[in-house]
Amino acid sequence: MIKVTIYNEFFHEQHHEEVKAVYPEGIHMALKNQLSDEFEVRTVTLETVDTITEELLNDTDVLIWWGHVQHDKVPDEVAERVQRAVLDGMGAIFLHSGHHSKPFRKLMGTSCNLTWREDGDYELVWNIKPAHPITQGIGRFIKLDHEETYGEPFTIPEPDEVIFIGSYEGGEVFRSGCTYRRENGKIFYFQPGHETFPTFYNKDVVQVIRNAIRWAAPIYRTRIECPWVKRPLAE
Amino acid sequence: MIKVTIYNEFFHEQHHEEVKAVYPEGIHMALKNQLSDEFEVRTVTLETVDTITEELLNDTDVLIWWGHVQHDKVPDEVAERVQRAVLDGMGAIFLHSGHHSKPFRKLMGTSCNLTWREDGDYELVWNIKPAHPITQGIGRFIKLDHEETYGEPFTIPEPDEVIFIGSYEGGEVFRSGCTYRRENGKIFYFQPGHETFPTFYNKDVVQVIRNAIRWAAPIYRTRIECPWVKRPLAE
Amino acid sequence: MIKVTIYNEFFHEQHHEEVKAVYPEGIHMALKNQLSDEFEVRTVTLETVDTITEELLNDTDVLIWWGHVQHDKVPDEVAERVQRAVLDGMGAIFLHSGHHSKPFRKLMGTSCNLTWREDGDYELVWNIKPAHPITQGIGRFIKLDHEETYGEPFTIPEPDEVIFIGSYEGGEVFRSGCTYRRENGKIFYFQPGHETFPTFYNKDVVQVIRNAIRWAAPIYRTRIECPWVKRPLAE
Amino acid sequence: MIKVTIYNEFFHEQHHEEVKAVYPEGIHMALKNQLSDEFEVRTVTLETVDTITEELLNDTDVLIWWGHVQHDKVPDEVAERVQRAVLDGMGAIFLHSGHHSKPFRKLMGTSCNLTWREDGDYELVWNIKPAHPITQGIGRFIKLDHEETYGEPFTIPEPDEVIFIGSYEGGEVFRSGCTYRRENGKIFYFQPGHETFPTFYNKDVVQVIRNAIRWAAPIYRTRIECPWVKRPLAE
């Protein structure tokens, strides 16, 4: 059984009534409740962020990350631990405003900026790679009645694969689903998921996350060091 | 002075009144008239397609290609000659329905299919790489009042760089500007340019083509063969 | 059970004593005999190349291709059928001199040239992606006592992933293992396998082919056409 | 005139006689002396690393970086300043052991590990992209009589372009020339240049660095922020 750890900042859900109304137990629990049929799911919040130890990460196949206004409160050591675990083979899925989280930015090496506005536009998340493991079961597009609008330029390295492109009522576009391999690990960025909307109850969104977990789960996990070696044919 | 050859099928402009009204001399002449201040421009149409000889291609820095309903009438030998010239270093810009032209498909190796509809939607062509040579002078997006709608999935190889993404009034998205390097040659695909709309008079569209010509012009041109060689240190 | 079809030109093994001595039943049978424990394997040779029908390809998960001096005798229709099947989702593995085969060149869009010499050099095939599905079970490098020397420049599109790089006794280097996604299909090029050497009995080489078959087997198979569509939200 | 700043750790040249014998004024001065005919060159060493201010970086088109055993002494603020300047458009060339420098690792997001040994092997640096701006004037390969051996796996993100692959007397291979675009900036990694060998006097090596400076010099320089925006058609 694939082991999933979900990190959720869990701030808005405790401090803003409109968010609490959508995710009364927090985004992490909304996801856990839906994913536990197939995966072994643990959750961590900012309050318990120090429990993201090397031991936990070693025991995690895929880490899911949602954060927004408290990225800076995640200690650098935790962010570096996550980065290191991904490079060693752990899968990672960064959701929505996780584009600005410390571990994502460290893994990308860029600022991961974008343009944004909050007008409750509908979004169409277009499936541009229908043969990809992450899009199985998804039709031509996912319709979200309301989402925060994220727009280009999105300052990420050119993805290995752009899997989804979102368009919004107002006309913006965004590379909404992007994959990266970094050393032994696989990374998926997925744009939907603003805290004020019930995006994480959308069955297609959950299906994508489910697919992405299976896709990102490691087949090989080890640290590649920088060793002194002997001449190959002397071995 | 960079030498540009423009191929235009030149069918719609001679057979459909509404197209003739927009491009009375043909798309090739509309482009030539605007580009001749900076480039040495020649034109070819389907009627004279056999003039696309090795000599012409050797004397061309960048080839621009517009075709639509008569792709099949371009002889295979001409298409292969163009492919070969690109691999040897000639630049190539494929416009709009040129996605289905023989030389583009041969260079891509895929079917280059897409979805489409003609409802006169407006299009926003988003500039997602503001530092790229091809986007210099272009703002956040190009607004086209009416364009044919092209939608994903666009079955091309993952581009080296996606430079523009288009969105349409109806909500579709499309990778509207894509670059490829193939052997010694550079290729740019640019989506705008349906024959019934005055897209090729849009100053931003012409600016992009202008930039793309400069970008695609070869710095080195030669055929890389498949030679028998001697041991390197025996040389 | 994954269904594998092996195409082998089967010319050298019937006409050159030194090759017959190494592969008395042909390269296709040498591979089939080793792979049949895990896969359902069929074989085709140039003599029966017309049996590569749409039906056969539809019933093939992964096609393996070895050809050398008789590439031109493969009918264009067969090559196009293979290309089409890969784009529709079939996996394909091109071995050694298959770099110049018609289907590989059609899929790549380039000339796929390289430099070469036949001096019986040893080769070290370096595993540069130890976490990749295709390299599982392979150490730092595969040592081949004798191989034909293939050298750069290898005029292929930039691979999605370079998995192996070979070096030869004389000092040349070569991108010996390369992956590509093209539409719905996965492609692996693997350089070892000159007909005069027992490369296809090397357990590491067979392991790589075995891994590549599992990796290339389709998860989704369909033709992506170029359809007229309705406005998305009118659906 | 393109403005170049060369950072050199300048430790070995002051503390090890054998290195001082090769580069009596330091690697930075050896490069400056050769490049000043074409570029406006400034130099910085670890001792003056704090002079790598935002002002200096704003006034630098291309930064060259050589460091080895004192990477950790470069303050994090300086490394982040360099990273930020590259993302804003400054070009960067990392030489040899600069693979482990703080700015390179921050830009790559990976550990940038490799295998190594120091046996004075000769190296052949193969030119695998003869049409690239960076390889103009370079033949099939550069022969270096002695270099430190760097071997794969080199844990970098898949490069945009692999331009050089090195092979060593002992048989290792290494992706010796790699390009990356990151936001507005261009990055080139180039492997040759161990401090105990006169690599930086080799005319081909200097030619590559010269070409890379021209290639990496910015055409557009600005910071892409993460702004709130209005609806596009409301603008």
Side-chain angles (χ1 to χ4, degrees):
Chain A
M1 210 176 203
I2 296 174
K3 293 180 177 179
V4 174
T5 299
I6 302 174
Y7 168 81
N8 177 27
E9 188 175 282
F10 198 36
F11 174 84
H12 295 296
E13 302 98 319
Q14 297 189 83
H15 294 82
H16 302 125
E17 286 306 318
E18 61 170 326
V19 181
K20 194 184 294 182
V22 185
Y23 298 108
E25 294 180 279
I27 286 173
H28 54 300
M29 290 308 295
L31 285 174
K32 180 179 177 170
N33 293 338
Q34 296 173 87
L35 296 170
S36 289
D37 58 339
E38 180 179 353
F39 308 107
E40 187 181 324
V41 183
R42 273 176 296 203
T43 62
V44 181
T45 64
L46 180 57
E47 221 170 289
T48 59
V49 71
D50 291 328
T51 65
I52 304 183
T53 58
E54 212 175 311
E55 290 66 37
L56 176 68
L57 295 172
N58 285 342
D59 197 42
T60 298
D61 294 307
V62 181
L63 179 68
I64 296 178
W65 196 279
W66 196 102
H68 186 202
V69 291
Q70 314 252 299
H71 291 315
D72 284 350
K73 296 202 174 153
V74 174
D76 284 347
E77 306 81 71
V78 170
E80 278 155 25
R81 220 176 276 152
V82 169
Q83 178 186 21
R84 190 62 256 177
V86 172
L87 300 178
D88 293 350
M90 184 183 72
I93 299 173
F94 293 91
L95 297 172
H96 190 62
S97 42
H99 74 91
H100 254 182
S101 66
K102 284 187 183 176
F104 188 65
R105 293 173 89 159
K106 281 180 186 294
L107 284 161
M108 295 295 103
T110 62
S111 57
C112 304
N113 287 332
L114 46 80
T115 68
W116 59 279
R117 58 185 176 80
E118 290 188 60
D119 296 320
D121 283 34
Y122 68 73
E123 179 184 3
L124 305 184
V125 184
W126 291 88
N127 172 2
I128 76 167
K129 296 280 158 61
H132 198 280
I134 293 180
T135 63
Q136 297 313 294
I138 305 300
R140 287 183 66 210
F141 59 85
I142 302 170
K143 168 107 195 301
L144 300 171
D145 290 333
H146 303 288
E147 250 304 333
E148 182 179 6
T149 297
Y150 274 11
E152 298 277 347
F154 184 21
T155 57
I156 47 173
E158 201 81 18
D160 293 346
E161 306 161 303
V162 178
I163 290 189
F164 295 106
I165 297 179
S167 74
Y168 301 84
E169 206 167 345
E172 279 94 341
V173 294
F174 194 71
R175 286 170 290 171
S176 293
C178 299
T179 71
Y180 293 93
R181 285 159 282 130
R182 286 297 183 267
E183 299 200 21
N184 298 341
K186 285 179 181 168
I187 301 162
F188 180 56
Y189 172 77
F190 192 44
Q191 157 268 317
H194 194 56
E195 68 274 6
T196 58
F197 304 118
T199 302
F200 291 120
Y201 301 113
N202 179 294
K203 74 173 179 32
D204 281 341
V205 168
V206 175
Q207 183 64 45
V208 168
I209 294 172
R210 208 177 271 279
N211 291 341
I213 292 168
R214 294 186 208 124
W215 169 84
I219 56 159
Y220 176 96
R221 212 165 159 163
T222 195
R223 184 155 307 181
I224 299 179
E225 305 280 5
C226 199
W228 174 87
V229 291
K230 283 187 295 187
R231 278 194 166 228
L233 298 185
E235 287 179 325
Chain B
M1 210 179 203
I2 295 175
K3 292 179 178 181
V4 174
T5 299
I6 302 175
Y7 168 81
N8 176 28
E9 188 177 280
F10 198 34
F11 174 84
H12 296 295
E13 301 97 318
Q14 297 189 82
H15 293 83
H16 301 126
E17 286 306 318
E18 62 169 324
V19 181
K20 195 185 292 182
V22 185
Y23 299 109
E25 294 180 279
I27 286 173
H28 53 300
M29 290 307 296
L31 285 174
K32 180 179 178 170
N33 292 340
Q34 295 173 87
L35 297 170
S36 290
D37 59 338
E38 181 180 355
F39 307 108
E40 187 182 324
V41 183
R42 274 176 294 202
T43 62
V44 181
T45 64
L46 180 57
E47 222 170 289
T48 58
V49 72
D50 291 328
T51 65
I52 303 183
T53 58
E54 210 174 313
E55 290 67 37
L56 177 69
L57 295 171
N58 284 342
D59 197 42
T60 298
D61 293 308
V62 180
L63 178 68
I64 297 179
W65 195 279
W66 196 102
H68 186 203
V69 291
Q70 314 254 299
H71 291 314
D72 284 349
K73 297 202 173 152
V74 173
D76 284 347
E77 307 82 70
V78 170
E80 279 155 25
R81 219 175 277 151
V82 169
Q83 178 186 21
R84 189 63 257 178
V86 172
L87 300 178
D88 294 350
M90 185 182 72
I93 300 172
F94 293 91
L95 297 173
H96 190 61
S97 42
H99 74 91
H100 254 184
S101 66
K102 284 186 183 177
F104 188 64
R105 293 171 89 160
K106 280 179 186 295
L107 284 161
M108 295 295 105
T110 61
S111 57
C112 304
N113 287 331
L114 46 79
T115 68
W116 59 279
R117 57 184 177 81
E118 291 190 59
D119 297 319
D121 284 34
Y122 68 72
E123 179 184 2
L124 305 183
V125 185
W126 291 87
N127 173 2
I128 77 167
K129 297 280 158 62
H132 198 280
I134 294 180
T135 62
Q136 296 314 293
I138 305 300
R140 287 183 66 210
F141 58 87
I142 303 171
K143 168 107 194 302
L144 300 171
D145 291 333
H146 303 288
E147 249 305 332
E148 183 179 4
T149 297
Y150 274 11
E152 297 278 347
F154 184 20
T155 57
I156 47 172
E158 201 80 20
D160 292 347
E161 306 161 304
V162 178
I163 290 188
F164 295 106
I165 297 179
S167 74
Y168 301 84
E169 206 168 346
E172 280 94 341
V173 294
F174 194 71
R175 287 170 289 170
S176 293
C178 299
T179 71
Y180 293 94
R181 285 159 282 130
R182 286 298 182 265
E183 299 200 23
N184 298 340
K186 286 180 182 166
I187 301 162
F188 180 55
Y189 173 78
F190 192 43
Q191 157 269 318
H194 193 56
E195 67 272 7
T196 58
F197 303 118
T199 302
F200 291 120
Y201 301 114
N202 180 294
K203 72 174 182 29
D204 280 342
V205 168
V206 175
Q207 183 65 45
V208 168
I209 295 173
R210 210 177 268 281
N211 292 340
I213 292 169
R214 293 186 209 123
W215 169 83
I219 55 158
Y220 176 95
R221 210 164 160 165
T222 195
R223 184 155 306 180
I224 298 179
E225 306 280 5
C226 198
W228 174 87
V229 291
K230 283 186 295 188
R231 279 195 167 226
L233 297 185
E235 287 180 325
Chain C
M1 212 179 204
I2 295 174
K3 293 179 178 180
V4 174
T5 299
I6 303 174
Y7 168 81
N8 176 26
E9 189 176 280
F10 198 35
F11 175 83
H12 296 296
E13 301 97 319
Q14 297 189 84
H15 293 83
H16 301 126
E17 285 306 319
E18 62 170 324
V19 181
K20 195 184 294 183
V22 184
Y23 299 109
E25 294 180 278
I27 285 172
H28 54 300
M29 291 307 296
L31 285 174
K32 180 180 177 170
N33 292 340
Q34 295 174 87
L35 297 170
S36 290
D37 58 339
E38 181 179 354
F39 308 108
E40 187 183 322
V41 183
R42 273 176 295 202
T43 63
V44 181
T45 64
L46 180 57
E47 222 170 289
T48 58
V49 71
D50 290 327
T51 64
I52 303 183
T53 59
E54 211 175 311
E55 291 66 37
L56 177 68
L57 295 171
N58 284 342
D59 197 42
T60 298
D61 293 308
V62 181
L63 179 68
I64 297 179
W65 195 279
W66 196 102
H68 186 203
V69 291
Q70 315 252 297
H71 291 314
D72 283 348
K73 297 203 174 152
V74 174
D76 283 347
E77 306 81 70
V78 170
E80 278 155 25
R81 219 176 277 150
V82 169
Q83 177 186 23
R84 190 62 256 178
V86 172
L87 300 178
D88 294 350
M90 184 183 72
I93 301 172
F94 293 91
L95 297 172
H96 189 62
S97 41
H99 73 90
H100 254 184
S101 66
K102 284 185 184 177
F104 188 65
R105 292 171 89 160
K106 280 179 187 295
L107 284 161
M108 296 295 104
T110 61
S111 56
C112 304
N113 286 331
L114 45 79
T115 68
W116 59 279
R117 58 184 176 81
E118 291 189 61
D119 296 319
D121 283 34
Y122 67 73
E123 179 184 2
L124 305 183
V125 185
W126 291 88
N127 173 2
I128 76 167
K129 296 280 159 61
H132 198 280
I134 294 181
T135 62
Q136 296 314 293
I138 305 300
R140 288 182 66 209
F141 59 86
I142 303 171
K143 168 106 195 300
L144 299 171
D145 291 334
H146 303 288
E147 249 306 331
E148 181 178 5
T149 297
Y150 274 11
E152 297 278 347
F154 184 21
T155 57
I156 46 172
E158 201 79 20
D160 293 347
E161 305 161 303
V162 178
I163 290 188
F164 295 106
I165 297 179
S167 75
Y168 301 85
E169 207 168 345
E172 280 94 341
V173 294
F174 194 71
R175 286 169 291 171
S176 293
C178 300
T179 71
Y180 294 94
R181 284 158 284 129
R182 286 297 182 266
E183 299 200 20
N184 298 340
K186 285 179 182 170
I187 301 162
F188 180 55
Y189 173 77
F190 192 43
Q191 156 268 317
H194 193 55
E195 67 273 6
T196 58
F197 304 118
T199 302
F200 290 120
Y201 300 114
N202 179 294
K203 72 172 179 32
D204 281 342
V205 168
V206 174
Q207 183 64 44
V208 169
I209 294 173
R210 207 177 271 279
N211 291 341
I213 291 169
R214 292 186 209 125
W215 169 84
I219 56 159
Y220 175 96
R221 210 164 160 165
T222 195
R223 183 155 307 180
I224 298 179
E225 305 281 2
C226 198
W228 174 88
V229 291
K230 282 187 296 187
R231 278 195 167 227
L233 298 185
E235 287 179 325
Chain D
M1 211 178 203
I2 295 174
K3 293 180 177 179
V4 174
T5 299
I6 302 174
Y7 168 81
N8 177 27
E9 188 175 281
F10 198 35
F11 175 83
H12 296 296
E13 301 98 318
Q14 298 188 83
H15 294 82
H16 302 126
E17 286 306 319
E18 61 170 325
V19 181
K20 194 185 295 186
V22 184
Y23 298 109
E25 294 181 280
I27 286 173
H28 53 300
M29 290 308 295
L31 284 174
K32 180 179 178 170
N33 292 339
Q34 295 174 86
L35 297 171
S36 289
D37 59 340
E38 181 179 353
F39 308 108
E40 187 181 323
V41 183
R42 274 176 295 203
T43 62
V44 181
T45 64
L46 180 58
E47 221 169 290
T48 59
V49 71
D50 291 328
T51 65
I52 303 183
T53 58
E54 211 175 310
E55 290 66 36
L56 176 69
L57 295 172
N58 284 341
D59 197 42
T60 298
D61 294 307
V62 181
L63 178 68
I64 297 179
W65 196 280
W66 196 103
H68 186 201
V69 291
Q70 315 253 298
H71 291 315
D72 283 350
K73 296 201 174 153
V74 173
D76 283 347
E77 307 81 71
V78 170
E80 278 155 27
R81 219 175 277 150
V82 170
Q83 177 186 23
R84 189 61 256 178
V86 172
L87 300 178
D88 293 350
M90 185 183 72
I93 300 172
F94 293 91
L95 297 172
H96 189 61
S97 42
H99 74 91
H100 254 182
S101 66
K102 283 186 183 178
F104 188 65
R105 294 172 88 160
K106 280 180 186 295
L107 284 161
M108 296 294 105
T110 62
S111 57
C112 305
N113 286 332
L114 45 79
T115 68
W116 59 280
R117 59 185 175 81
E118 290 190 60
D119 296 320
D121 283 33
Y122 68 73
E123 178 185 3
L124 305 183
V125 184
W126 291 88
N127 173 2
I128 77 167
K129 295 282 160 59
H132 198 279
I134 294 180
T135 62
Q136 297 313 294
I138 305 300
R140 288 183 66 211
F141 58 86
I142 302 171
K143 168 107 194 300
L144 300 171
D145 291 334
H146 303 288
E147 249 306 329
E148 182 178 5
T149 297
Y150 274 11
E152 297 277 347
F154 184 21
T155 58
I156 47 172
E158 201 81 19
D160 293 345
E161 306 161 304
V162 178
I163 291 190
F164 295 105
I165 297 179
S167 75
Y168 301 83
E169 206 167 347
E172 280 94 341
V173 294
F174 194 71
R175 286 170 290 172
S176 293
C178 299
T179 71
Y180 293 94
R181 285 159 283 129
R182 286 297 183 265
E183 299 200 21
N184 298 341
K186 286 178 180 169
I187 302 162
F188 180 55
Y189 173 77
F190 192 43
Q191 157 268 317
H194 193 57
E195 68 273 7
T196 57
F197 303 118
T199 302
F200 290 120
Y201 300 114
N202 179 293
K203 74 173 177 34
D204 281 341
V205 168
V206 174
Q207 183 64 46
V208 168
I209 294 173
R210 207 177 271 278
N211 291 341
I213 291 168
R214 292 186 209 124
W215 169 84
I219 56 158
Y220 176 96
R221 210 164 161 164
T222 195
R223 184 154 307 181
I224 298 179
E225 305 280 5
C226 198
W228 173 87
V229 292
K230 282 186 297 187
R231 279 196 167 225
L233 298 184
E235 288 179 325

